[in-house]
Amino acid sequence: MSTNAPNPVPGDEESTSNFPFVGWLRDVAPYIHSFREKTFVIAFAGELVKEIGLENLIEDIAMLHAMGMRIVLVHGIRPQIEEQLKLRKIKSKFGTSALNTYRITDAAALECVKEAAGELRLDIEAAFSRGLPNTPMAGSRISVISGNFITAMPVGVVDGVDYVHTGLVRKVDSTSITLSLDSNKIVLLSPLGFSPTGQAFNLAYEDVAASTAAALKADKLIFLSPYSGLRDADRELITELSLPQLQDYMTEHKDIESGLKGLLHISGKAVRSGVSRVHFLPCNQDGALLEELFTHDGIGMMLASSDIENLREANQDDVGGILQLTMPLEEEGILAARGQDVIERDIQRFSVIEHDRVLFGCAALFPFPNGVGELACLAVDADVQGSGDGERLLKRIEMRAKQENIKKLFVLTTRTEHWFLKRGFKRATVDDLPEERKQIYNWDRKSMVLTKDL
Ligand SMILES: CC(C)(COP(=O)(O)OP(=O)(O)OC[C@H]1O[C@@H](n2cnc3c(N)ncnc32)[C@H](O)[C@@H]1OP(=O)(O)O)[C@@H](O)C(=O)NCCC(=O)NCCS
């Protein structure tokens, strides 16, 4: 799932330029404004290097940096360690704890870890140093800084298994990282940490990334890994979920693969520690990072803290609150009039957002034959407009629509056309409405018709 940033109008029909890229560049401008000065921890699995190579990812990150984003890059090295072990004819050894599978890093394996981390770090630094004319890196001049930012401690002996040089993050030197980010550097972290006794430890890159994001209270923690997210009962990717939803999912699904389970656990911890969003993207898809950040629907799954918790289906107790929200808008002619009895009758079609038990937003979904549904009564209290509640309500209605096998949404609006266009709706006509709806279309209001394929 994508971000809560402002949403561009894809292929804005109002652009007068013949060059599609002009419209496209204008479309992504709101994201660029909104991400400037924001801290992103971007972590990628060692598998990415094998699957799609470093080059394009580094170019994309260089571009994000040029747009003013503060970037900490964390890399994994699992396949690279395997390669080193193979070269030296050493067998990989693993132990499994309740939450994760850890490599047992003995002295010989630690040498392989150092070799793999050193080599990949140098490749990344080299990739950031490119700047040939006529390449995306021309004129980039990026300084990358790595260092002993991570203090580690040993995993120790678990269930009788000594993990030797396998470690966990104990502390992150967030002050030094912040100083480096302040001076416009990209911070590069390898999955290695050091103990106060001077020992090196092999760490999970997920642990390094999540602990760093938590220490920095990062705006985004982004994982490019073999796990692009969770699937619902229809095997569809879940695009967005809250912490409580994640907990429910994990309670209901005991068979989640151990690597993914560990990643989700660590991400949940990061969100609880103040990271605003965690994104899960596939590491085998070129451009996944840009697609997630700069398109409305994104490409992966997003985990957020609690705001979504306040979004729920309405019940009879909400009728008063919904009327309070909608009546002033009806008086202004922004929403079509609906009496109390109509709202009472249709209350199960509404979703609402509440903060501290006060309703701040509502929206309703009315199904029509042939997989068509109407989004109606979308309203957010004027005091909290602009904080993403309208967007969340729209997503909720889209989710309900999908659950009800609705393939196409339509909305009638007099003054909010552009808000919907930015969110993937397209202009349509009264003739595109279902017959039953066409018959009760109010020609005095002359509402615009917009549709969106789900
Ligand atoms: C439309 C509405 C639901 C949006 O709610 P919201 O919580 O403010 O929405 P979000 O926070 O997700 O989005 C805010 C963005 O939409 C923009 N926006 C708000 N109203 C808009 C409009 N009429 N046209 C175009 N953009 C609009 C805001 O400027 C803001 O943009 P920014 O983030 O770039 O600053 C709310 O403005 C509202 O209740 N309007 C009155 C009722 C209405 O028109 N309903 C739709 C008819 S069914």
Side-chain angles (χ1 to χ4, degrees):
M1 184 57 235
S2 183
T3 69
N4 56 348
N7 299 294
V9 184
D12 188 348
E13 291 105 280
E14 283 169 19
S15 170
T16 49
S17 170
N18 288 327
F19 297 103
F21 92 91
V22 172
W24 178 85
L25 199 52
R26 287 176 184 157
D27 289 346
V28 298
Y31 293 111
I32 299 174
H33 295 308
S34 127
F35 294 155
R36 181 184 294 280
E37 301 286 301
K38 296 288 189 305
T39 303
F40 292 5
V41 175
I42 302 172
F44 68 89
E47 282 83 353
L48 179 141
V49 184
K50 303 265 153 212
E51 304 250 2
I52 54 172
L54 268 181
E55 211 166 277
N56 289 353
L57 176 72
I58 298 300
E59 282 169 6
D60 294 348
I61 290 174
M63 190 166 69
L64 299 181
H65 177 258
M67 290 174 188
M69 296 162 214
R70 295 155 64 84
I71 292 172
V72 178
L73 185 60
V74 184
H75 69 84
I77 39 167
R78 281 184 197 125
Q80 290 78 5
I81 297 174
E82 288 302 324
E83 245 171 39
Q84 290 295 332
L85 288 167
K86 223 185 241 167
L87 276 175
R88 296 170 197 213
K89 301 199 170 38
I90 303 171
K91 216 167 163 275
S92 304
K93 283 176 272 176
F94 293 94
T96 304
S97 78
L99 271 173
N100 222 330
T101 301
Y102 292 110
R103 181 184 299 282
I104 299 167
T105 315
D106 56 19
L110 183 64
E111 287 312 305
C112 297
V113 172
K114 287 183 188 168
E115 189 86 31
E119 206 170 291
L120 188 49
R121 203 192 85 193
L122 292 179
D123 285 348
I124 296 170
E125 289 175 357
F128 274 117
S129 310
R130 285 175 304 139
L132 285 178
N134 299 325
T135 69
M137 298 289 285
S140 57
R141 282 200 210 93
I142 289 172
S143 318
V144 179
I145 189 156
S146 332
N148 56 345
F149 296 117
I150 306 290
T151 306
M153 59 186 183
V155 166
V157 180
V158 182
D159 296 335
V161 178
D162 187 354
Y163 287 82
V164 205
H165 299 290
T166 300
L168 298 168
V169 175
R170 189 175 125 194
K171 218 163 80 190
V172 177
D173 183 357
S174 55
T175 314
S176 301
I177 294 180
T178 304
L179 277 173
S180 304
L181 295 175
D182 287 347
S183 52
N184 206 27
K185 310 252 190 291
I186 287 184
V187 174
L188 174 61
L189 301 177
S190 296
L192 275 167
F194 309 96
S195 69
T197 57
Q199 274 179 296
F201 285 93
N202 172 26
L203 308 175
Y205 80 95
E206 297 93 332
D207 186 14
V208 173
S211 305
T212 306
L216 297 174
K217 302 266 178 282
D219 298 282
K220 285 186 189 298
L221 166 60
I222 302 171
F223 284 110
L224 289 139
S225 81
Y227 311 106
S228 56
L230 298 169
R231 308 244 153 210
D232 63 17
D234 299 327
R235 304 293 306 145
E236 296 275 348
L237 182 73
I238 298 173
T239 52
E240 181 175 313
L241 83 173
S242 67
L243 265 186
Q245 286 170 324
L246 174 65
Q247 270 147 13
D248 289 349
Y249 190 99
M250 289 179 83
T251 316
E252 281 164 29
H253 299 78
K254 296 281 179 224
D255 55 344
I256 304 175
E257 207 184 316
S258 98
L260 177 56
K261 203 197 270 178
L263 183 62
L264 292 168
H265 176 75
I266 229 162
S267 302
K269 240 170 89 180
V271 171
R272 274 191 291 276
S273 317
V275 176
S276 307
R277 302 272 187 268
V278 184
H279 297 253
F280 302 85
L281 310 180
C283 68
N284 61 355
Q285 216 165 310
D286 185 23
L289 181 61
L290 298 186
E291 207 172 321
E292 177 73 0
L293 291 176
F294 296 113
T295 63
H296 174 237
D297 291 330
I299 191 179
M301 181 177 91
M302 183 177 84
L303 173 68
S305 60
S306 59
D307 278 351
I308 315 166
E309 270 181 273
N310 304 322
L311 185 53
R312 58 172 174 78
E313 310 319 352
N315 58 51
Q316 287 297 337
D317 295 340
D318 298 317
V319 174
I322 293 175
L323 277 169
Q324 251 177 15
L325 277 172
T326 53
M327 266 165 54
L329 296 167
E330 290 177 10
E331 280 159 20
E332 280 186 65
I334 297 173
L335 290 183
R338 269 186 180 79
Q340 177 165 349
D341 43 350
V342 174
I343 293 180
E344 272 171 9
R345 185 196 64 198
D346 296 333
I347 192 68
Q348 85 286 358
R349 308 290 342 157
F350 279 78
S351 298
V352 292
I353 280 191
E354 62 170 7
H355 298 285
D356 286 337
R357 300 186 178 197
V358 178
L359 278 204
F360 279 90
C362 65
L365 172 69
F366 295 98
F368 284 86
N370 304 320
V372 177
E374 177 176 7
L375 161 66
C377 248
L378 173 65
V380 171
D381 187 291
D383 287 347
V384 298
Q385 280 179 12
S387 55
D389 282 350
E391 172 108 17
R392 266 177 237 137
L393 281 161
L394 170 63
K395 293 234 168 79
R396 179 64 158 226
I397 293 295
E398 288 180 0
M399 188 191 82
R400 285 183 77 171
K402 281 184 194 158
Q403 283 166 355
E404 294 180 30
N405 264 331
I406 289 172
K407 304 266 183 281
K408 191 185 199 115
L409 266 189
F410 70 87
V411 65
L412 301 187
T413 180
T414 49
R415 300 196 211 165
T416 322
E417 183 195 19
H418 280 214
W419 192 87
F420 289 109
L421 285 176
K422 282 187 184 178
R423 284 149 184 90
F425 282 79
K426 299 258 178 319
R427 293 185 180 105
T429 66
V430 178
D431 283 337
D432 296 312
L433 293 175
E435 203 49 47
E436 302 82 333
R437 189 63 181 83
K438 218 189 289 182
Q439 279 164 15
I440 52 168
Y441 179 81
N442 184 338
W443 286 98
D444 291 334
R445 277 177 63 75
K446 292 202 181 59
S447 301
M448 283 164 268
V449 179
L450 300 167
T451 61
K452 180 173 181 178
D453 292 325
L454 297 179

PDB file of all heavy atoms in Angstrom, residues 6 329 334-335 377-380 385-391 411-413 415-416 418-420 423, ligand 1:
ATOM      1  N   PRO A   6      -0.294  13.466  -0.097  1.00  0.00           N
ATOM      2  CA  PRO A   6      -1.275  13.932  -1.049  1.00  0.00           C
ATOM      3  C   PRO A   6      -1.195  13.135  -2.337  1.00  0.00           C
ATOM      4  O   PRO A   6      -0.142  12.621  -2.700  1.00  0.00           O
ATOM      5  CB  PRO A   6      -0.866  15.380  -1.310  1.00  0.00           C
ATOM      6  CG  PRO A   6       0.475  15.527  -0.726  1.00  0.00           C
ATOM      7  CD  PRO A   6       0.655  14.473   0.299  1.00  0.00           C
ATOM      8  N   LEU A 329     -23.581  20.221   5.410  1.00  0.00           N
ATOM      9  CA  LEU A 329     -23.169  20.061   4.008  1.00  0.00           C
ATOM     10  C   LEU A 329     -24.390  19.960   3.100  1.00  0.00           C
ATOM     11  O   LEU A 329     -24.378  20.424   1.964  1.00  0.00           O
ATOM     12  CB  LEU A 329     -22.285  18.813   3.858  1.00  0.00           C
ATOM     13  CG  LEU A 329     -20.954  18.877   4.609  1.00  0.00           C
ATOM     14  CD1 LEU A 329     -20.295  17.508   4.679  1.00  0.00           C
ATOM     15  CD2 LEU A 329     -20.015  19.864   3.910  1.00  0.00           C
ATOM     16  N   ILE A 334     -23.825  20.730  -0.751  1.00  0.00           N
ATOM     17  CA  ILE A 334     -22.655  19.904  -1.129  1.00  0.00           C
ATOM     18  C   ILE A 334     -23.042  18.423  -1.148  1.00  0.00           C
ATOM     19  O   ILE A 334     -22.604  17.661  -2.002  1.00  0.00           O
ATOM     20  CB  ILE A 334     -21.482  20.168  -0.155  1.00  0.00           C
ATOM     21  CG1 ILE A 334     -21.043  21.629  -0.271  1.00  0.00           C
ATOM     22  CG2 ILE A 334     -20.314  19.236  -0.424  1.00  0.00           C
ATOM     23  CD1 ILE A 334     -20.019  22.071   0.744  1.00  0.00           C
ATOM     24  N   LEU A 335     -23.866  18.020  -0.174  1.00  0.00           N
ATOM     25  CA  LEU A 335     -24.347  16.637  -0.165  1.00  0.00           C
ATOM     26  C   LEU A 335     -25.840  16.621  -0.459  1.00  0.00           C
ATOM     27  O   LEU A 335     -26.548  17.582  -0.126  1.00  0.00           O
ATOM     28  CB  LEU A 335     -24.111  15.994   1.214  1.00  0.00           C
ATOM     29  CG  LEU A 335     -22.675  15.683   1.630  1.00  0.00           C
ATOM     30  CD1 LEU A 335     -22.665  14.985   2.986  1.00  0.00           C
ATOM     31  CD2 LEU A 335     -21.964  14.810   0.601  1.00  0.00           C
ATOM     32  N   CYS A 377     -22.317  10.056   0.560  1.00  0.00           N
ATOM     33  CA  CYS A 377     -22.286  10.642   1.908  1.00  0.00           C
ATOM     34  C   CYS A 377     -20.882  10.725   2.494  1.00  0.00           C
ATOM     35  O   CYS A 377     -20.719  10.609   3.698  1.00  0.00           O
ATOM     36  CB  CYS A 377     -23.129   9.779   2.833  1.00  0.00           C
ATOM     37  SG  CYS A 377     -24.596  10.605   3.360  1.00  0.00           S
ATOM     38  N   LEU A 378     -19.875  10.886   1.661  1.00  0.00           N
ATOM     39  CA  LEU A 378     -18.507  11.005   2.197  1.00  0.00           C
ATOM     40  C   LEU A 378     -18.358  12.397   2.801  1.00  0.00           C
ATOM     41  O   LEU A 378     -18.516  13.410   2.112  1.00  0.00           O
ATOM     42  CB  LEU A 378     -17.480  10.803   1.068  1.00  0.00           C
ATOM     43  CG  LEU A 378     -16.022  11.070   1.444  1.00  0.00           C
ATOM     44  CD1 LEU A 378     -15.527  10.072   2.490  1.00  0.00           C
ATOM     45  CD2 LEU A 378     -15.118  11.005   0.212  1.00  0.00           C
ATOM     46  N   ALA A 379     -18.092  12.452   4.091  1.00  0.00           N
ATOM     47  CA  ALA A 379     -17.955  13.757   4.756  1.00  0.00           C
ATOM     48  C   ALA A 379     -16.979  13.649   5.906  1.00  0.00           C
ATOM     49  O   ALA A 379     -16.972  12.662   6.650  1.00  0.00           O
ATOM     50  CB  ALA A 379     -19.310  14.214   5.283  1.00  0.00           C
ATOM     51  N   VAL A 380     -16.128  14.660   6.042  1.00  0.00           N
ATOM     52  CA  VAL A 380     -15.179  14.725   7.155  1.00  0.00           C
ATOM     53  C   VAL A 380     -15.374  16.079   7.832  1.00  0.00           C
ATOM     54  O   VAL A 380     -15.534  17.108   7.153  1.00  0.00           O
ATOM     55  CB  VAL A 380     -13.727  14.557   6.638  1.00  0.00           C
ATOM     56  CG1 VAL A 380     -12.714  14.837   7.740  1.00  0.00           C
ATOM     57  CG2 VAL A 380     -13.509  13.161   6.082  1.00  0.00           C
ATOM     58  N   GLN A 385     -10.257  18.145   8.516  1.00  0.00           N
ATOM     59  CA  GLN A 385     -10.017  17.886   7.088  1.00  0.00           C
ATOM     60  C   GLN A 385      -8.536  18.077   6.762  1.00  0.00           C
ATOM     61  O   GLN A 385      -7.873  18.897   7.381  1.00  0.00           O
ATOM     62  CB  GLN A 385     -10.859  18.826   6.220  1.00  0.00           C
ATOM     63  CG  GLN A 385     -12.297  18.350   6.104  1.00  0.00           C
ATOM     64  CD  GLN A 385     -13.165  19.264   5.262  1.00  0.00           C
ATOM     65  OE1 GLN A 385     -12.662  20.147   4.580  1.00  0.00           O
ATOM     66  NE2 GLN A 385     -14.464  19.061   5.309  1.00  0.00           N
ATOM     67  N   GLY A 386      -8.078  17.318   5.801  1.00  0.00           N
ATOM     68  CA  GLY A 386      -6.688  17.452   5.375  1.00  0.00           C
ATOM     69  C   GLY A 386      -5.744  16.553   6.146  1.00  0.00           C
ATOM     70  O   GLY A 386      -4.539  16.570   5.930  1.00  0.00           O
ATOM     71  N   SER A 387      -6.273  15.719   7.064  1.00  0.00           N
ATOM     72  CA  SER A 387      -5.354  14.837   7.798  1.00  0.00           C
ATOM     73  C   SER A 387      -5.491  13.388   7.337  1.00  0.00           C
ATOM     74  O   SER A 387      -5.018  12.475   8.004  1.00  0.00           O
ATOM     75  CB  SER A 387      -5.588  14.952   9.303  1.00  0.00           C
ATOM     76  OG  SER A 387      -6.935  14.691   9.576  1.00  0.00           O
ATOM     77  N   GLY A 388      -6.135  13.194   6.194  1.00  0.00           N
ATOM     78  CA  GLY A 388      -6.155  11.845   5.615  1.00  0.00           C
ATOM     79  C   GLY A 388      -7.403  11.030   5.944  1.00  0.00           C
ATOM     80  O   GLY A 388      -7.531   9.893   5.488  1.00  0.00           O
ATOM     81  N   ASP A 389      -8.329  11.591   6.733  1.00  0.00           N
ATOM     82  CA  ASP A 389      -9.522  10.810   7.101  1.00  0.00           C
ATOM     83  C   ASP A 389     -10.390  10.510   5.882  1.00  0.00           C
ATOM     84  O   ASP A 389     -10.951   9.420   5.758  1.00  0.00           O
ATOM     85  CB  ASP A 389     -10.356  11.562   8.159  1.00  0.00           C
ATOM     86  CG  ASP A 389      -9.737  11.423   9.542  1.00  0.00           C
ATOM     87  OD1 ASP A 389      -8.798  10.606   9.687  1.00  0.00           O
ATOM     88  OD2 ASP A 389     -10.179  12.112  10.469  1.00  0.00           O
ATOM     89  N   GLY A 390     -10.508  11.494   4.959  1.00  0.00           N
ATOM     90  CA  GLY A 390     -11.310  11.272   3.760  1.00  0.00           C
ATOM     91  C   GLY A 390     -10.749  10.104   2.965  1.00  0.00           C
ATOM     92  O   GLY A 390     -11.473   9.204   2.525  1.00  0.00           O
ATOM     93  N   GLU A 391      -9.449  10.090   2.835  1.00  0.00           N
ATOM     94  CA  GLU A 391      -8.758   9.020   2.108  1.00  0.00           C
ATOM     95  C   GLU A 391      -8.995   7.659   2.783  1.00  0.00           C
ATOM     96  O   GLU A 391      -9.242   6.661   2.129  1.00  0.00           O
ATOM     97  CB  GLU A 391      -7.270   9.363   2.115  1.00  0.00           C
ATOM     98  CG  GLU A 391      -6.391   8.295   1.576  1.00  0.00           C
ATOM     99  CD  GLU A 391      -5.816   8.658   0.221  1.00  0.00           C
ATOM    100  OE1 GLU A 391      -5.848   9.849  -0.126  1.00  0.00           O
ATOM    101  OE2 GLU A 391      -5.366   7.743  -0.467  1.00  0.00           O
ATOM    102  N   VAL A 411     -19.547   7.733  -7.970  1.00  0.00           N
ATOM    103  CA  VAL A 411     -19.865   8.754  -6.975  1.00  0.00           C
ATOM    104  C   VAL A 411     -20.463   9.942  -7.714  1.00  0.00           C
ATOM    105  O   VAL A 411     -20.093  10.227  -8.861  1.00  0.00           O
ATOM    106  CB  VAL A 411     -18.603   9.151  -6.160  1.00  0.00           C
ATOM    107  CG1 VAL A 411     -17.557   9.814  -7.011  1.00  0.00           C
ATOM    108  CG2 VAL A 411     -18.948  10.056  -5.002  1.00  0.00           C
ATOM    109  N   LEU A 412     -21.435  10.601  -7.080  1.00  0.00           N
ATOM    110  CA  LEU A 412     -21.998  11.830  -7.646  1.00  0.00           C
ATOM    111  C   LEU A 412     -21.505  12.975  -6.775  1.00  0.00           C
ATOM    112  O   LEU A 412     -21.622  12.914  -5.548  1.00  0.00           O
ATOM    113  CB  LEU A 412     -23.529  11.792  -7.605  1.00  0.00           C
ATOM    114  CG  LEU A 412     -24.209  10.645  -8.353  1.00  0.00           C
ATOM    115  CD1 LEU A 412     -25.721  10.848  -8.373  1.00  0.00           C
ATOM    116  CD2 LEU A 412     -23.706  10.544  -9.775  1.00  0.00           C
ATOM    117  N   THR A 413     -20.960  13.975  -7.400  1.00  0.00           N
ATOM    118  CA  THR A 413     -20.427  15.080  -6.599  1.00  0.00           C
ATOM    119  C   THR A 413     -20.617  16.414  -7.321  1.00  0.00           C
ATOM    120  O   THR A 413     -20.564  16.462  -8.552  1.00  0.00           O
ATOM    121  CB  THR A 413     -18.930  14.858  -6.247  1.00  0.00           C
ATOM    122  OG1 THR A 413     -18.471  15.945  -5.470  1.00  0.00           O
ATOM    123  CG2 THR A 413     -18.063  14.725  -7.491  1.00  0.00           C
ATOM    124  N   ARG A 415     -18.963  19.398  -5.911  1.00  0.00           N
ATOM    125  CA  ARG A 415     -17.797  20.283  -5.724  1.00  0.00           C
ATOM    126  C   ARG A 415     -16.483  19.572  -5.415  1.00  0.00           C
ATOM    127  O   ARG A 415     -15.490  20.214  -5.143  1.00  0.00           O
ATOM    128  CB  ARG A 415     -18.084  21.222  -4.538  1.00  0.00           C
ATOM    129  CG  ARG A 415     -19.299  22.056  -4.815  1.00  0.00           C
ATOM    130  CD  ARG A 415     -19.376  23.216  -3.882  1.00  0.00           C
ATOM    131  NE  ARG A 415     -20.751  23.564  -3.629  1.00  0.00           N
ATOM    132  CZ  ARG A 415     -21.155  24.337  -2.649  1.00  0.00           C
ATOM    133  NH1 ARG A 415     -20.270  24.833  -1.805  1.00  0.00           N
ATOM    134  NH2 ARG A 415     -22.423  24.614  -2.485  1.00  0.00           N
ATOM    135  N   THR A 416     -16.528  18.253  -5.412  1.00  0.00           N
ATOM    136  CA  THR A 416     -15.327  17.541  -4.945  1.00  0.00           C
ATOM    137  C   THR A 416     -14.697  16.707  -6.056  1.00  0.00           C
ATOM    138  O   THR A 416     -13.967  15.759  -5.790  1.00  0.00           O
ATOM    139  CB  THR A 416     -15.708  16.661  -3.727  1.00  0.00           C
ATOM    140  OG1 THR A 416     -16.644  17.386  -2.933  1.00  0.00           O
ATOM    141  CG2 THR A 416     -14.520  16.349  -2.857  1.00  0.00           C
ATOM    142  N   HIS A 418     -12.223  17.063  -8.116  1.00  0.00           N
ATOM    143  CA  HIS A 418     -10.765  16.881  -8.192  1.00  0.00           C
ATOM    144  C   HIS A 418     -10.234  15.969  -7.107  1.00  0.00           C
ATOM    145  O   HIS A 418      -9.251  15.260  -7.294  1.00  0.00           O
ATOM    146  CB  HIS A 418     -10.061  18.242  -8.165  1.00  0.00           C
ATOM    147  CG  HIS A 418     -10.087  18.882  -9.509  1.00  0.00           C
ATOM    148  ND1 HIS A 418      -9.074  19.659  -9.994  1.00  0.00           N
ATOM    149  CD2 HIS A 418     -11.008  18.831 -10.497  1.00  0.00           C
ATOM    150  CE1 HIS A 418      -9.363  20.061 -11.218  1.00  0.00           C
ATOM    151  NE2 HIS A 418     -10.542  19.587 -11.524  1.00  0.00           N
ATOM    152  N   TRP A 419     -10.892  16.015  -5.941  1.00  0.00           N
ATOM    153  CA  TRP A 419     -10.469  15.127  -4.855  1.00  0.00           C
ATOM    154  C   TRP A 419     -10.581  13.671  -5.319  1.00  0.00           C
ATOM    155  O   TRP A 419      -9.690  12.859  -5.109  1.00  0.00           O
ATOM    156  CB  TRP A 419     -11.352  15.370  -3.621  1.00  0.00           C
ATOM    157  CG  TRP A 419     -10.836  14.732  -2.380  1.00  0.00           C
ATOM    158  CD1 TRP A 419      -9.938  15.248  -1.496  1.00  0.00           C
ATOM    159  CD2 TRP A 419     -11.164  13.420  -1.897  1.00  0.00           C
ATOM    160  NE1 TRP A 419      -9.697  14.352  -0.475  1.00  0.00           N
ATOM    161  CE2 TRP A 419     -10.445  13.219  -0.703  1.00  0.00           C
ATOM    162  CE3 TRP A 419     -12.002  12.401  -2.345  1.00  0.00           C
ATOM    163  CZ2 TRP A 419     -10.532  12.067   0.047  1.00  0.00           C
ATOM    164  CZ3 TRP A 419     -12.088  11.225  -1.606  1.00  0.00           C
ATOM    165  CH2 TRP A 419     -11.356  11.075  -0.425  1.00  0.00           C
ATOM    166  N   PHE A 420     -11.681  13.354  -5.988  1.00  0.00           N
ATOM    167  CA  PHE A 420     -11.878  11.983  -6.470  1.00  0.00           C
ATOM    168  C   PHE A 420     -10.953  11.656  -7.647  1.00  0.00           C
ATOM    169  O   PHE A 420     -10.432  10.550  -7.735  1.00  0.00           O
ATOM    170  CB  PHE A 420     -13.339  11.758  -6.870  1.00  0.00           C
ATOM    171  CG  PHE A 420     -14.262  11.702  -5.677  1.00  0.00           C
ATOM    172  CD1 PHE A 420     -15.150  12.725  -5.405  1.00  0.00           C
ATOM    173  CD2 PHE A 420     -14.221  10.621  -4.812  1.00  0.00           C
ATOM    174  CE1 PHE A 420     -15.985  12.670  -4.297  1.00  0.00           C
ATOM    175  CE2 PHE A 420     -15.051  10.549  -3.697  1.00  0.00           C
ATOM    176  CZ  PHE A 420     -15.935  11.589  -3.441  1.00  0.00           C
ATOM    177  N   ARG A 423      -7.770  10.428  -6.713  1.00  0.00           N
ATOM    178  CA  ARG A 423      -7.782   9.111  -6.088  1.00  0.00           C
ATOM    179  C   ARG A 423      -8.250   8.018  -7.039  1.00  0.00           C
ATOM    180  O   ARG A 423      -8.866   7.038  -6.634  1.00  0.00           O
ATOM    181  CB  ARG A 423      -8.624   9.173  -4.812  1.00  0.00           C
ATOM    182  CG  ARG A 423      -7.825   9.868  -3.717  1.00  0.00           C
ATOM    183  CD  ARG A 423      -8.646  10.629  -2.742  1.00  0.00           C
ATOM    184  NE  ARG A 423      -7.759  11.334  -1.808  1.00  0.00           N
ATOM    185  CZ  ARG A 423      -7.305  12.561  -2.030  1.00  0.00           C
ATOM    186  NH1 ARG A 423      -7.644  13.236  -3.101  1.00  0.00           N
ATOM    187  NH2 ARG A 423      -6.486  13.125  -1.149  1.00  0.00           N
TER     188      ARG A 423
HETATM  189  C1  LIG B   1     -13.804  15.662   0.429  1.00  0.00           C
HETATM  190  C2  LIG B   1     -13.522  15.400   1.899  1.00  0.00           C
HETATM  191  C3  LIG B   1     -14.312  14.175   2.340  1.00  0.00           C
HETATM  192  C4  LIG B   1     -12.025  15.131   2.050  1.00  0.00           C
HETATM  193  O1  LIG B   1     -11.763  14.812   3.403  1.00  0.00           O
HETATM  194  P1  LIG B   1     -10.321  15.067   4.052  1.00  0.00           P
HETATM  195  O2  LIG B   1     -10.253  14.292   5.323  1.00  0.00           O
HETATM  196  O3  LIG B   1      -9.998  16.486   4.077  1.00  0.00           O
HETATM  197  O4  LIG B   1      -9.447  14.323   2.935  1.00  0.00           O
HETATM  198  P2  LIG B   1      -7.923  13.993   2.976  1.00  0.00           P
HETATM  199  O5  LIG B   1      -7.271  14.503   4.197  1.00  0.00           O
HETATM  200  O6  LIG B   1      -7.784  12.541   2.675  1.00  0.00           O
HETATM  201  O7  LIG B   1      -7.439  14.832   1.701  1.00  0.00           O
HETATM  202  C5  LIG B   1      -7.154  16.174   1.840  1.00  0.00           C
HETATM  203  C6  LIG B   1      -6.704  16.746   0.522  1.00  0.00           C
HETATM  204  O8  LIG B   1      -7.825  16.884  -0.359  1.00  0.00           O
HETATM  205  C7  LIG B   1      -7.875  18.241  -0.808  1.00  0.00           C
HETATM  206  N1  LIG B   1      -9.275  18.603  -1.000  1.00  0.00           N
HETATM  207  C8  LIG B   1     -10.226  18.817  -0.084  1.00  0.00           C
HETATM  208  N2  LIG B   1     -11.381  19.162  -0.680  1.00  0.00           N
HETATM  209  C9  LIG B   1     -11.155  19.151  -2.006  1.00  0.00           C
HETATM  210  C10 LIG B   1     -11.949  19.436  -3.152  1.00  0.00           C
HETATM  211  N3  LIG B   1     -13.208  19.815  -3.048  1.00  0.00           N
HETATM  212  N4  LIG B   1     -11.370  19.317  -4.352  1.00  0.00           N
HETATM  213  C11 LIG B   1     -10.083  18.953  -4.497  1.00  0.00           C
HETATM  214  N5  LIG B   1      -9.272  18.668  -3.444  1.00  0.00           N
HETATM  215  C12 LIG B   1      -9.805  18.784  -2.213  1.00  0.00           C
HETATM  216  C13 LIG B   1      -7.246  19.033   0.296  1.00  0.00           C
HETATM  217  O9  LIG B   1      -6.783  20.267  -0.172  1.00  0.00           O
HETATM  218  C14 LIG B   1      -6.132  18.139   0.725  1.00  0.00           C
HETATM  219  O10 LIG B   1      -5.072  18.257  -0.174  1.00  0.00           O
HETATM  220  P3  LIG B   1      -3.572  18.312   0.377  1.00  0.00           P
HETATM  221  O11 LIG B   1      -3.382  17.082   1.212  1.00  0.00           O
HETATM  222  O12 LIG B   1      -2.790  18.327  -0.886  1.00  0.00           O
HETATM  223  O13 LIG B   1      -3.471  19.545   1.167  1.00  0.00           O
HETATM  224  C15 LIG B   1     -13.866  16.621   2.793  1.00  0.00           C
HETATM  225  O14 LIG B   1     -13.231  17.758   2.258  1.00  0.00           O
HETATM  226  C16 LIG B   1     -15.338  16.890   2.900  1.00  0.00           C
HETATM  227  O15 LIG B   1     -15.993  16.390   3.817  1.00  0.00           O
HETATM  228  N6  LIG B   1     -15.899  17.692   1.989  1.00  0.00           N
HETATM  229  C17 LIG B   1     -17.275  18.023   2.020  1.00  0.00           C
HETATM  230  C18 LIG B   1     -18.165  16.875   1.602  1.00  0.00           C
HETATM  231  C19 LIG B   1     -17.935  16.396   0.185  1.00  0.00           C
HETATM  232  O16 LIG B   1     -17.640  17.170  -0.700  1.00  0.00           O
HETATM  233  N7  LIG B   1     -18.080  15.081  -0.037  1.00  0.00           N
HETATM  234  C20 LIG B   1     -17.887  14.434  -1.312  1.00  0.00           C
HETATM  235  C21 LIG B   1     -19.164  14.248  -2.035  1.00  0.00           C
HETATM  236  S1  LIG B   1     -19.814  12.632  -1.813  1.00  0.00           S
END
